[in-house]
Amino acid sequence: TLRPALLVAPVQTLGLRVWSIDPLRRRSIDHAVHQYILAQLDGLTDAQLRSAVLPSGWSPLGLVRHLTRLTSG
């Protein structure tokens, strides 16, 4: 199989062989994803940010909160 350029080394995790990402590149990817998400939400009203748009009950604001907790460690 081909190895994407962002991935640096195979790592054994829970019996699965996965590729690790260089921490500097990971931060760059995280930043790009955050900027993309914020651009998609730009211009939504407060009501739109808080209203559930998925059957799970998640709102756009809930997604941002979730991603913030994931990336803040």
Side-chain angles (χ1 to χ4, degrees):
T1 61
L2 295 175
R3 184 181 81 149
L6 293 176
L7 306 178
V8 294
V11 176
Q12 202 72 18
T13 303
L14 299 174
L16 300 173
R17 186 173 182 215
V18 296
W19 291 93
S20 67
I21 299 176
D22 173 61
L24 183 58
R25 289 183 176 162
R26 176 59 187 239
R27 284 191 294 277
S28 178
I29 293 168
D30 287 347
H31 179 74
V33 169
H34 292 171
Q35 293 303 309
Y36 176 80
I37 291 169
L38 291 176
Q40 298 305 306
L41 300 178
D42 188 38
L44 293 181
T45 66
D46 188 56
Q48 290 171 319
L49 287 171
R50 295 176 185 281
S51 64
V53 292
L54 298 173
S56 64
W58 278 50
S59 66
L61 185 58
L63 172 66
V64 171
R65 287 181 182 151
H66 173 73
L67 293 174
T68 301
R69 283 192 293 263
L70 285 178
T71 57
S72 65

Short mmCIF file of all heavy atoms in Angstrom, two decimals:
data_model
loop_
_atom_site.label_atom_id
_atom_site.label_comp_id
_atom_site.label_asym_id
_atom_site.label_seq_id
_atom_site.Cartn_x
_atom_site.Cartn_y
_atom_site.Cartn_z
N THR A 1 0.84 -1.19 0.00
CA THR A 1 0.00 0.00 0.00
C THR A 1 0.88 1.25 0.00
O THR A 1 2.01 1.22 0.46
CB THR A 1 -0.91 0.03 1.24
OG1 THR A 1 -0.09 0.06 2.40
CG2 THR A 1 -1.84 -1.16 1.28
N LEU A 2 0.32 2.34 -0.48
CA LEU A 2 1.05 3.60 -0.50
C LEU A 2 0.95 4.28 0.85
O LEU A 2 -0.08 4.22 1.52
CB LEU A 2 0.50 4.52 -1.58
CG LEU A 2 0.68 4.04 -3.01
CD1 LEU A 2 -0.01 4.99 -3.96
CD2 LEU A 2 2.15 3.94 -3.35
N ARG A 3 2.01 4.94 1.24
CA ARG A 3 2.03 5.67 2.50
C ARG A 3 1.88 7.16 2.22
O ARG A 3 2.70 7.73 1.52
CB ARG A 3 3.35 5.42 3.22
CG ARG A 3 3.41 6.06 4.57
CD ARG A 3 4.74 5.79 5.20
NE ARG A 3 5.70 6.73 4.64
CZ ARG A 3 6.75 7.19 5.31
NH1 ARG A 3 7.00 6.76 6.50
NH2 ARG A 3 7.57 8.05 4.76
N PRO A 4 0.81 7.80 2.75
CA PRO A 4 0.67 9.24 2.54
C PRO A 4 1.86 10.01 3.10
O PRO A 4 2.47 9.60 4.09
CB PRO A 4 -0.60 9.59 3.31
CG PRO A 4 -1.34 8.30 3.40
CD PRO A 4 -0.29 7.23 3.47
N ALA A 5 2.20 11.12 2.48
CA ALA A 5 3.39 11.89 2.85
C ALA A 5 3.34 12.41 4.28
O ALA A 5 4.38 12.58 4.90
CB ALA A 5 3.57 13.05 1.88
N LEU A 6 2.15 12.65 4.83
CA LEU A 6 2.05 13.19 6.18
C LEU A 6 2.36 12.17 7.26
O LEU A 6 2.62 12.52 8.39
CB LEU A 6 0.65 13.76 6.43
CG LEU A 6 0.27 14.99 5.63
CD1 LEU A 6 -1.18 15.35 5.93
CD2 LEU A 6 1.18 16.14 5.95
N LEU A 7 2.30 10.92 6.93
CA LEU A 7 2.47 9.88 7.92
C LEU A 7 3.93 9.46 7.96
O LEU A 7 4.57 9.29 6.95
CB LEU A 7 1.57 8.70 7.59
CG LEU A 7 0.09 9.08 7.44
CD1 LEU A 7 -0.72 7.88 7.06
CD2 LEU A 7 -0.45 9.73 8.69
N VAL A 8 4.47 9.30 9.18
CA VAL A 8 5.90 9.10 9.29
C VAL A 8 6.34 7.70 9.67
O VAL A 8 7.44 7.31 9.31
CB VAL A 8 6.52 10.12 10.28
CG1 VAL A 8 6.39 11.52 9.72
CG2 VAL A 8 5.88 10.03 11.64
N ALA A 9 5.57 6.97 10.42
CA ALA A 9 6.05 5.67 10.87
C ALA A 9 4.89 4.78 11.29
O ALA A 9 3.91 5.26 11.83
CB ALA A 9 7.00 5.86 12.04
N PRO A 10 5.03 3.48 11.05
CA PRO A 10 3.98 2.58 11.53
C PRO A 10 4.07 2.43 13.05
O PRO A 10 5.14 2.44 13.63
CB PRO A 10 4.31 1.27 10.82
CG PRO A 10 5.75 1.35 10.51
CD PRO A 10 6.08 2.80 10.32
N VAL A 11 2.92 2.31 13.68
CA VAL A 11 2.84 2.13 15.12
C VAL A 11 1.87 1.00 15.39
O VAL A 11 0.84 0.89 14.74
CB VAL A 11 2.32 3.43 15.80
CG1 VAL A 11 2.13 3.22 17.29
CG2 VAL A 11 3.26 4.58 15.53
N GLN A 12 2.21 0.14 16.33
CA GLN A 12 1.32 -0.95 16.70
C GLN A 12 0.39 -0.46 17.80
O GLN A 12 0.83 -0.03 18.86
CB GLN A 12 2.16 -2.14 17.20
CG GLN A 12 1.46 -3.45 17.13
CD GLN A 12 1.31 -3.95 15.69
OE1 GLN A 12 1.98 -3.50 14.79
NE2 GLN A 12 0.40 -4.87 15.50
N THR A 13 -0.93 -0.45 17.55
CA THR A 13 -1.90 0.01 18.53
C THR A 13 -3.04 -0.98 18.59
O THR A 13 -3.68 -1.25 17.58
CB THR A 13 -2.45 1.40 18.12
OG1 THR A 13 -1.36 2.30 17.99
CG2 THR A 13 -3.41 1.92 19.16
N LEU A 14 -3.29 -1.50 19.76
CA LEU A 14 -4.37 -2.47 19.97
C LEU A 14 -4.34 -3.60 18.95
O LEU A 14 -5.36 -4.03 18.43
CB LEU A 14 -5.73 -1.76 19.94
CG LEU A 14 -5.97 -0.69 20.99
CD1 LEU A 14 -7.29 0.01 20.73
CD2 LEU A 14 -5.95 -1.29 22.39
N GLY A 15 -3.14 -4.02 18.61
CA GLY A 15 -2.99 -5.11 17.67
C GLY A 15 -3.13 -4.70 16.21
O GLY A 15 -3.03 -5.53 15.33
N LEU A 16 -3.35 -3.41 15.95
CA LEU A 16 -3.48 -2.92 14.58
C LEU A 16 -2.25 -2.10 14.21
O LEU A 16 -1.73 -1.36 15.03
CB LEU A 16 -4.73 -2.04 14.44
CG LEU A 16 -6.05 -2.71 14.76
CD1 LEU A 16 -7.17 -1.69 14.74
CD2 LEU A 16 -6.34 -3.83 13.78
N ARG A 17 -1.83 -2.22 12.98
CA ARG A 17 -0.71 -1.42 12.50
C ARG A 17 -1.28 -0.14 11.90
O ARG A 17 -2.02 -0.18 10.94
CB ARG A 17 0.08 -2.18 11.44
CG ARG A 17 1.32 -1.46 11.01
CD ARG A 17 2.13 -2.33 10.09
NE ARG A 17 3.34 -1.65 9.73
CZ ARG A 17 3.92 -1.74 8.55
NH1 ARG A 17 3.40 -2.52 7.63
NH2 ARG A 17 5.01 -1.08 8.29
N VAL A 18 -0.95 0.97 12.52
CA VAL A 18 -1.42 2.26 12.04
C VAL A 18 -0.22 3.18 11.83
O VAL A 18 0.88 2.91 12.31
CB VAL A 18 -2.41 2.91 13.03
CG1 VAL A 18 -3.67 2.07 13.15
CG2 VAL A 18 -1.78 3.13 14.38
N TRP A 19 -0.43 4.27 11.13
CA TRP A 19 0.65 5.22 10.87
C TRP A 19 0.53 6.40 11.82
O TRP A 19 -0.54 6.93 12.03
CB TRP A 19 0.60 5.71 9.43
CG TRP A 19 0.95 4.65 8.46
CD1 TRP A 19 0.09 3.80 7.83
CD2 TRP A 19 2.26 4.28 8.05
NE1 TRP A 19 0.78 2.93 7.03
CE2 TRP A 19 2.11 3.20 7.14
CE3 TRP A 19 3.54 4.75 8.33
CZ2 TRP A 19 3.20 2.60 6.54
CZ3 TRP A 19 4.61 4.15 7.72
CH2 TRP A 19 4.45 3.09 6.84
N SER A 20 1.66 6.80 12.40
CA SER A 20 1.66 7.97 13.27
C SER A 20 1.88 9.22 12.42
O SER A 20 2.42 9.15 11.32
CB SER A 20 2.74 7.86 14.34
OG SER A 20 4.02 7.91 13.75
N ILE A 21 1.48 10.37 12.94
CA ILE A 21 1.65 11.63 12.25
C ILE A 21 2.66 12.47 13.02
O ILE A 21 2.58 12.58 14.24
CB ILE A 21 0.31 12.39 12.14
CG1 ILE A 21 -0.70 11.57 11.35
CG2 ILE A 21 0.50 13.76 11.52
CD1 ILE A 21 -2.07 12.18 11.28
N ASP A 22 3.59 13.06 12.30
CA ASP A 22 4.58 13.95 12.90
C ASP A 22 3.83 15.05 13.67
O ASP A 22 2.90 15.66 13.13
CB ASP A 22 5.43 14.55 11.79
CG ASP A 22 6.36 15.62 12.29
OD1 ASP A 22 7.21 15.29 13.14
OD2 ASP A 22 6.22 16.77 11.84
N PRO A 23 4.19 15.32 14.93
CA PRO A 23 3.45 16.30 15.75
C PRO A 23 3.35 17.69 15.11
O PRO A 23 2.30 18.34 15.21
CB PRO A 23 4.24 16.35 17.05
CG PRO A 23 4.92 15.03 17.13
CD PRO A 23 5.24 14.66 15.71
N LEU A 24 4.39 18.16 14.46
CA LEU A 24 4.34 19.47 13.83
C LEU A 24 3.32 19.47 12.68
O LEU A 24 2.53 20.40 12.53
CB LEU A 24 5.72 19.88 13.31
CG LEU A 24 5.82 21.26 12.68
CD1 LEU A 24 5.39 22.34 13.67
CD2 LEU A 24 7.24 21.52 12.20
N ARG A 25 3.32 18.42 11.89
CA ARG A 25 2.35 18.32 10.81
C ARG A 25 0.94 18.16 11.36
O ARG A 25 -0.02 18.66 10.80
CB ARG A 25 2.68 17.16 9.88
CG ARG A 25 3.91 17.45 9.05
CD ARG A 25 4.19 16.33 8.11
NE ARG A 25 5.32 16.69 7.25
CZ ARG A 25 6.02 15.83 6.58
NH1 ARG A 25 5.73 14.55 6.63
NH2 ARG A 25 7.02 16.22 5.84
N ARG A 26 0.82 17.46 12.48
CA ARG A 26 -0.50 17.28 13.11
C ARG A 26 -1.08 18.63 13.52
O ARG A 26 -2.25 18.91 13.30
CB ARG A 26 -0.38 16.34 14.31
CG ARG A 26 -1.65 16.14 15.10
CD ARG A 26 -2.71 15.58 14.17
NE ARG A 26 -3.98 15.53 14.82
CZ ARG A 26 -4.67 14.43 15.00
NH1 ARG A 26 -4.21 13.29 14.58
NH2 ARG A 26 -5.82 14.48 15.59
N ARG A 27 -0.25 19.50 14.11
CA ARG A 27 -0.72 20.82 14.50
C ARG A 27 -1.16 21.62 13.28
O ARG A 27 -2.15 22.34 13.31
CB ARG A 27 0.34 21.57 15.30
CG ARG A 27 0.46 21.07 16.74
CD ARG A 27 1.31 21.98 17.58
NE ARG A 27 2.71 22.00 17.17
CZ ARG A 27 3.63 21.12 17.51
NH1 ARG A 27 3.30 20.11 18.28
NH2 ARG A 27 4.88 21.24 17.10
N SER A 28 -0.42 21.48 12.20
CA SER A 28 -0.76 22.18 10.96
C SER A 28 -2.09 21.69 10.40
O SER A 28 -2.92 22.48 9.95
CB SER A 28 0.36 21.97 9.93
OG SER A 28 0.04 22.59 8.72
N ILE A 29 -2.29 20.38 10.44
CA ILE A 29 -3.56 19.80 9.97
C ILE A 29 -4.70 20.27 10.86
O ILE A 29 -5.75 20.69 10.36
CB ILE A 29 -3.48 18.25 9.96
CG1 ILE A 29 -2.48 17.79 8.90
CG2 ILE A 29 -4.86 17.64 9.73
CD1 ILE A 29 -2.13 16.32 9.02
N ASP A 30 -4.51 20.22 12.18
CA ASP A 30 -5.54 20.66 13.12
C ASP A 30 -5.93 22.11 12.85
O ASP A 30 -7.10 22.46 12.84
CB ASP A 30 -5.08 20.50 14.57
CG ASP A 30 -5.04 19.06 15.03
OD1 ASP A 30 -5.60 18.19 14.35
OD2 ASP A 30 -4.44 18.81 16.10
N HIS A 31 -4.92 22.96 12.64
CA HIS A 31 -5.19 24.38 12.39
C HIS A 31 -6.00 24.55 11.11
O HIS A 31 -6.97 25.32 11.08
CB HIS A 31 -3.87 25.16 12.31
CG HIS A 31 -4.07 26.61 12.04
ND1 HIS A 31 -4.53 27.47 13.00
CD2 HIS A 31 -3.90 27.33 10.91
CE1 HIS A 31 -4.64 28.68 12.48
NE2 HIS A 31 -4.25 28.63 11.21
N ALA A 32 -5.62 23.84 10.07
CA ALA A 32 -6.33 23.95 8.79
C ALA A 32 -7.78 23.49 8.94
O ALA A 32 -8.70 24.12 8.40
CB ALA A 32 -5.62 23.14 7.71
N VAL A 33 -8.00 22.40 9.67
CA VAL A 33 -9.36 21.90 9.88
C VAL A 33 -10.17 22.91 10.68
O VAL A 33 -11.33 23.19 10.36
CB VAL A 33 -9.33 20.52 10.58
CG1 VAL A 33 -10.72 20.11 11.04
CG2 VAL A 33 -8.74 19.48 9.66
N HIS A 34 -9.57 23.48 11.72
CA HIS A 34 -10.28 24.47 12.54
C HIS A 34 -10.68 25.67 11.69
O HIS A 34 -11.81 26.17 11.80
CB HIS A 34 -9.42 24.93 13.71
CG HIS A 34 -9.19 23.86 14.72
ND1 HIS A 34 -8.31 23.99 15.76
CD2 HIS A 34 -9.73 22.63 14.87
CE1 HIS A 34 -8.31 22.91 16.49
NE2 HIS A 34 -9.17 22.06 15.96
N GLN A 35 -9.76 26.16 10.87
CA GLN A 35 -10.05 27.31 10.02
C GLN A 35 -11.19 26.99 9.05
O GLN A 35 -12.06 27.82 8.80
CB GLN A 35 -8.80 27.75 9.26
CG GLN A 35 -7.73 28.32 10.16
CD GLN A 35 -8.22 29.49 10.99
OE1 GLN A 35 -8.81 30.43 10.47
NE2 GLN A 35 -8.02 29.43 12.28
N TYR A 36 -11.18 25.79 8.50
CA TYR A 36 -12.24 25.37 7.57
C TYR A 36 -13.60 25.35 8.28
O TYR A 36 -14.59 25.86 7.76
CB TYR A 36 -11.93 23.99 6.98
CG TYR A 36 -13.03 23.47 6.10
CD1 TYR A 36 -13.15 23.91 4.79
CD2 TYR A 36 -13.96 22.57 6.59
CE1 TYR A 36 -14.18 23.45 3.98
CE2 TYR A 36 -14.99 22.11 5.79
CZ TYR A 36 -15.09 22.55 4.48
OH TYR A 36 -16.12 22.10 3.69
N ILE A 37 -13.64 24.76 9.46
CA ILE A 37 -14.90 24.67 10.20
C ILE A 37 -15.41 26.05 10.57
O ILE A 37 -16.59 26.36 10.40
CB ILE A 37 -14.74 23.78 11.45
CG1 ILE A 37 -14.53 22.33 11.02
CG2 ILE A 37 -15.94 23.90 12.38
CD1 ILE A 37 -14.11 21.41 12.12
N LEU A 38 -14.53 26.92 11.05
CA LEU A 38 -14.95 28.27 11.40
C LEU A 38 -15.47 29.02 10.18
O LEU A 38 -16.45 29.76 10.28
CB LEU A 38 -13.79 29.03 12.05
CG LEU A 38 -13.38 28.52 13.44
CD1 LEU A 38 -12.16 29.28 13.93
CD2 LEU A 38 -14.53 28.64 14.42
N ALA A 39 -14.85 28.83 9.04
CA ALA A 39 -15.31 29.48 7.81
C ALA A 39 -16.71 28.99 7.44
O ALA A 39 -17.54 29.78 6.96
CB ALA A 39 -14.33 29.23 6.67
N GLN A 40 -16.99 27.70 7.66
CA GLN A 40 -18.31 27.15 7.34
C GLN A 40 -19.39 27.71 8.26
O GLN A 40 -20.54 27.86 7.87
CB GLN A 40 -18.30 25.62 7.43
CG GLN A 40 -17.35 24.95 6.46
CD GLN A 40 -17.59 25.36 5.02
OE1 GLN A 40 -18.69 25.25 4.52
NE2 GLN A 40 -16.57 25.84 4.37
N LEU A 41 -19.01 28.02 9.50
CA LEU A 41 -19.98 28.49 10.48
C LEU A 41 -20.13 30.00 10.46
O LEU A 41 -21.08 30.55 11.04
CB LEU A 41 -19.58 28.03 11.88
CG LEU A 41 -19.48 26.52 12.07
CD1 LEU A 41 -19.03 26.19 13.49
CD2 LEU A 41 -20.79 25.84 11.75
N ASP A 42 -19.20 30.70 9.82
CA ASP A 42 -19.23 32.16 9.76
C ASP A 42 -20.53 32.64 9.14
O ASP A 42 -20.96 32.16 8.09
CB ASP A 42 -18.04 32.67 8.94
CG ASP A 42 -17.91 34.17 9.02
OD1 ASP A 42 -18.15 34.74 10.10
OD2 ASP A 42 -17.57 34.78 7.98
N GLY A 43 -21.17 33.56 9.80
CA GLY A 43 -22.41 34.12 9.27
C GLY A 43 -23.67 33.47 9.81
O GLY A 43 -24.78 33.97 9.57
N LEU A 44 -23.56 32.34 10.51
CA LEU A 44 -24.74 31.72 11.11
C LEU A 44 -25.21 32.57 12.29
O LEU A 44 -24.41 33.16 13.01
CB LEU A 44 -24.44 30.30 11.59
CG LEU A 44 -24.13 29.25 10.53
CD1 LEU A 44 -23.88 27.91 11.19
CD2 LEU A 44 -25.26 29.14 9.52
N THR A 45 -26.50 32.62 12.48
CA THR A 45 -27.04 33.35 13.63
C THR A 45 -26.80 32.52 14.90
O THR A 45 -26.49 31.33 14.84
CB THR A 45 -28.55 33.58 13.46
OG1 THR A 45 -29.21 32.31 13.50
CG2 THR A 45 -28.86 34.32 12.17
N ASP A 46 -27.00 33.17 16.04
CA ASP A 46 -26.86 32.47 17.32
C ASP A 46 -27.82 31.29 17.39
O ASP A 46 -27.46 30.20 17.84
CB ASP A 46 -27.10 33.44 18.48
CG ASP A 46 -26.77 32.83 19.82
OD1 ASP A 46 -25.62 32.37 19.99
OD2 ASP A 46 -27.67 32.79 20.69
N ALA A 47 -29.04 31.50 16.92
CA ALA A 47 -30.04 30.42 16.93
C ALA A 47 -29.61 29.27 16.04
O ALA A 47 -29.78 28.09 16.41
CB ALA A 47 -31.39 30.95 16.48
N GLN A 48 -29.03 29.56 14.88
CA GLN A 48 -28.56 28.50 13.99
C GLN A 48 -27.39 27.74 14.60
O GLN A 48 -27.28 26.52 14.43
CB GLN A 48 -28.15 29.09 12.64
CG GLN A 48 -29.32 29.58 11.81
CD GLN A 48 -28.86 30.35 10.59
OE1 GLN A 48 -27.93 31.14 10.64
NE2 GLN A 48 -29.55 30.10 9.48
N LEU A 49 -26.51 28.44 15.29
CA LEU A 49 -25.37 27.77 15.93
C LEU A 49 -25.81 26.83 17.04
O LEU A 49 -25.16 25.82 17.29
CB LEU A 49 -24.39 28.81 16.50
CG LEU A 49 -23.56 29.57 15.49
CD1 LEU A 49 -22.82 30.72 16.18
CD2 LEU A 49 -22.57 28.63 14.81
N ARG A 50 -26.89 27.17 17.71
CA ARG A 50 -27.35 26.39 18.86
C ARG A 50 -28.41 25.34 18.54
O ARG A 50 -28.69 24.47 19.36
CB ARG A 50 -27.87 27.33 19.95
CG ARG A 50 -26.80 28.23 20.51
CD ARG A 50 -27.34 29.22 21.51
NE ARG A 50 -26.31 30.14 21.96
CZ ARG A 50 -25.38 29.85 22.85
NH1 ARG A 50 -25.35 28.67 23.42
NH2 ARG A 50 -24.47 30.74 23.19
N SER A 51 -29.00 25.40 17.36
CA SER A 51 -30.07 24.44 17.05
C SER A 51 -29.50 23.11 16.55
O SER A 51 -28.52 23.08 15.81
CB SER A 51 -31.03 25.03 16.01
OG SER A 51 -30.36 25.23 14.79
N ALA A 52 -30.11 22.04 16.99
CA ALA A 52 -29.69 20.69 16.59
C ALA A 52 -29.98 20.48 15.12
O ALA A 52 -31.09 20.73 14.66
CB ALA A 52 -30.40 19.65 17.44
N VAL A 53 -28.98 20.04 14.39
CA VAL A 53 -29.17 19.80 12.95
C VAL A 53 -28.96 18.33 12.60
O VAL A 53 -29.09 17.95 11.45
CB VAL A 53 -28.20 20.68 12.12
CG1 VAL A 53 -28.58 22.14 12.25
CG2 VAL A 53 -26.76 20.46 12.52
N LEU A 54 -28.62 17.53 13.58
CA LEU A 54 -28.41 16.10 13.37
C LEU A 54 -29.36 15.30 14.23
O LEU A 54 -29.76 15.75 15.31
CB LEU A 54 -26.97 15.72 13.72
CG LEU A 54 -25.88 16.38 12.88
CD1 LEU A 54 -24.50 16.04 13.45
CD2 LEU A 54 -25.97 15.91 11.45
N PRO A 55 -29.72 14.09 13.82
CA PRO A 55 -30.60 13.25 14.64
C PRO A 55 -30.03 13.01 16.04
O PRO A 55 -30.78 12.80 16.99
CB PRO A 55 -30.70 11.95 13.85
CG PRO A 55 -30.42 12.32 12.45
CD PRO A 55 -29.43 13.46 12.53
N SER A 56 -28.71 13.08 16.19
CA SER A 56 -28.08 12.86 17.49
C SER A 56 -28.32 14.02 18.44
O SER A 56 -28.06 13.92 19.63
CB SER A 56 -26.58 12.65 17.31
OG SER A 56 -25.99 13.83 16.78
N GLY A 57 -28.79 15.15 17.91
CA GLY A 57 -29.03 16.31 18.74
C GLY A 57 -27.87 17.30 18.74
O GLY A 57 -27.93 18.33 19.40
N TRP A 58 -26.82 16.99 18.01
CA TRP A 58 -25.66 17.88 17.98
C TRP A 58 -25.99 19.15 17.20
O TRP A 58 -26.66 19.12 16.18
CB TRP A 58 -24.47 17.19 17.32
CG TRP A 58 -23.72 16.30 18.25
CD1 TRP A 58 -24.25 15.35 19.06
CD2 TRP A 58 -22.33 16.28 18.47
NE1 TRP A 58 -23.26 14.72 19.76
CE2 TRP A 58 -22.06 15.28 19.41
CE3 TRP A 58 -21.26 16.99 17.94
CZ2 TRP A 58 -20.79 14.97 19.86
CZ3 TRP A 58 -19.99 16.70 18.40
CH2 TRP A 58 -19.76 15.71 19.34
N SER A 59 -25.45 20.24 17.69
CA SER A 59 -25.57 21.53 17.02
C SER A 59 -24.17 21.91 16.49
O SER A 59 -23.17 21.33 16.90
CB SER A 59 -26.04 22.59 18.02
OG SER A 59 -25.03 22.81 19.00
N PRO A 60 -24.10 22.90 15.60
CA PRO A 60 -22.78 23.35 15.16
C PRO A 60 -21.90 23.79 16.35
O PRO A 60 -20.71 23.49 16.39
CB PRO A 60 -23.09 24.52 14.23
CG PRO A 60 -24.43 24.17 13.66
CD PRO A 60 -25.16 23.53 14.82
N LEU A 61 -22.49 24.47 17.32
CA LEU A 61 -21.73 24.90 18.49
C LEU A 61 -21.26 23.68 19.30
O LEU A 61 -20.13 23.66 19.80
CB LEU A 61 -22.59 25.81 19.37
CG LEU A 61 -21.90 26.44 20.57
CD1 LEU A 61 -20.68 27.24 20.16
CD2 LEU A 61 -22.88 27.31 21.33
N GLY A 62 -22.08 22.66 19.39
CA GLY A 62 -21.68 21.43 20.08
C GLY A 62 -20.50 20.77 19.39
O GLY A 62 -19.60 20.24 20.05
N LEU A 63 -20.47 20.79 18.07
CA LEU A 63 -19.35 20.23 17.32
C LEU A 63 -18.07 21.00 17.64
O LEU A 63 -17.02 20.39 17.89
CB LEU A 63 -19.64 20.27 15.82
CG LEU A 63 -18.47 19.89 14.92
CD1 LEU A 63 -18.09 18.43 15.11
CD2 LEU A 63 -18.80 20.17 13.47
N VAL A 64 -18.15 22.32 17.64
CA VAL A 64 -16.97 23.13 17.95
C VAL A 64 -16.47 22.84 19.37
O VAL A 64 -15.27 22.69 19.59
CB VAL A 64 -17.27 24.63 17.76
CG1 VAL A 64 -16.13 25.50 18.29
CG2 VAL A 64 -17.53 24.92 16.29
N ARG A 65 -17.38 22.75 20.32
CA ARG A 65 -16.99 22.43 21.70
C ARG A 65 -16.29 21.07 21.77
O ARG A 65 -15.28 20.90 22.43
CB ARG A 65 -18.20 22.42 22.61
CG ARG A 65 -18.73 23.78 22.92
CD ARG A 65 -19.92 23.69 23.84
NE ARG A 65 -20.48 24.99 24.10
CZ ARG A 65 -21.74 25.23 24.37
NH1 ARG A 65 -22.61 24.21 24.41
NH2 ARG A 65 -22.18 26.44 24.59
N HIS A 66 -16.85 20.09 21.08
CA HIS A 66 -16.28 18.75 21.06
C HIS A 66 -14.87 18.77 20.47
O HIS A 66 -13.94 18.20 21.05
CB HIS A 66 -17.19 17.82 20.26
CG HIS A 66 -16.62 16.46 20.03
ND1 HIS A 66 -16.53 15.52 21.04
CD2 HIS A 66 -16.13 15.88 18.93
CE1 HIS A 66 -15.99 14.42 20.56
NE2 HIS A 66 -15.74 14.61 19.26
N LEU A 67 -14.71 19.40 19.34
CA LEU A 67 -13.38 19.46 18.70
C LEU A 67 -12.38 20.22 19.55
O LEU A 67 -11.20 19.86 19.60
CB LEU A 67 -13.50 20.08 17.31
CG LEU A 67 -14.29 19.26 16.29
CD1 LEU A 67 -14.47 20.04 15.01
CD2 LEU A 67 -13.62 17.93 16.04
N THR A 68 -12.82 21.24 20.24
CA THR A 68 -11.94 22.01 21.12
C THR A 68 -11.42 21.12 22.25
O THR A 68 -10.24 21.15 22.58
CB THR A 68 -12.67 23.24 21.68
OG1 THR A 68 -13.09 24.05 20.60
CG2 THR A 68 -11.77 24.04 22.59
N ARG A 69 -12.30 20.33 22.83
CA ARG A 69 -11.88 19.43 23.92
C ARG A 69 -10.92 18.36 23.39
O ARG A 69 -9.96 18.00 24.08
CB ARG A 69 -13.08 18.78 24.57
CG ARG A 69 -13.82 19.70 25.50
CD ARG A 69 -14.83 18.95 26.35
NE ARG A 69 -15.92 18.42 25.56
CZ ARG A 69 -17.11 19.01 25.42
NH1 ARG A 69 -17.34 20.14 26.02
NH2 ARG A 69 -18.04 18.45 24.69
N LEU A 70 -11.15 17.86 22.19
CA LEU A 70 -10.27 16.83 21.62
C LEU A 70 -8.86 17.35 21.40
O LEU A 70 -7.89 16.66 21.64
CB LEU A 70 -10.83 16.32 20.30
CG LEU A 70 -12.01 15.38 20.35
CD1 LEU A 70 -12.45 15.02 18.94
CD2 LEU A 70 -11.66 14.11 21.12
N THR A 71 -8.75 18.56 20.88
CA THR A 71 -7.43 19.07 20.50
C THR A 71 -6.72 19.80 21.63
O THR A 71 -5.53 20.05 21.53
CB THR A 71 -7.52 20.00 19.28
OG1 THR A 71 -8.42 21.06 19.57
CG2 THR A 71 -8.00 19.24 18.05
N SER A 72 -7.44 20.13 22.70
CA SER A 72 -6.78 20.83 23.80
C SER A 72 -6.12 19.87 24.78
O SER A 72 -5.44 20.27 25.70
CB SER A 72 -7.77 21.74 24.54
OG SER A 72 -8.76 20.96 25.16
N GLY A 73 -6.32 18.59 24.55
CA GLY A 73 -5.63 17.58 25.35
C GLY A 73 -6.38 17.21 26.55
O GLY A 73 -6.14 16.51 27.40
#
